[in-house]
Amino acid sequence: YKVDVPEAGIYALTMRVAVVNRDQILDVMAGNEKLATVTIPQTHGSWTTTAPVELKLVKGTQTIRLSAPFQRGIALRWIELKAK
């Protein structure tokens, strides 16, 4: 996801997700740097919003990547990034 960060600082990231498997995680990356790991509770296939995780972002346009290092079956509806 390309984001244009208006000023450097701490941002809260939340996601709307659904999973059928337990112990799922998503790594949040900017370039090769891992910014955070999001723990996703088992939702039994229903949509839920994750607890916010804090990301330290620099000012400017950058690409934020989400990766599932060893899981499968994560449905992602949206992500939200808010300045703290």
Side-chain angles (χ1 to χ4, degrees):
Y1 300 94
K2 283 210 183 266
V3 294
D4 187 15
V5 179
E7 62 183 66
I10 304 295
Y11 290 79
L13 173 77
T14 55
M15 294 184 253
R16 187 78 169 161
V17 296
V19 298
V20 294
N21 302 311
R22 59 188 170 96
D23 301 325
Q24 302 293 294
I25 63 170
L26 286 173
D27 288 334
V28 182
M29 313 280 290
N32 291 325
E33 180 184 359
K34 185 164 121 177
L35 303 175
T37 298
V38 180
T39 302
I40 303 172
Q42 184 177 23
T43 69
H44 302 284
S46 299
W47 292 104
T48 191
T49 303
T50 62
V53 296
E54 292 185 350
L55 307 179
K56 185 177 181 180
L57 299 174
V58 296
K59 181 179 178 174
T61 302
Q62 52 199 289
T63 301
I64 303 295
R65 291 185 306 116
L66 303 176
S67 67
F70 54 84
Q71 292 84 5
R72 59 185 169 88
I74 299 174
L76 176 64
R77 180 164 281 178
W78 52 255
I79 64 172
E80 181 177 61
L81 196 57
K82 287 185 176 181
K84 288 198 80 174

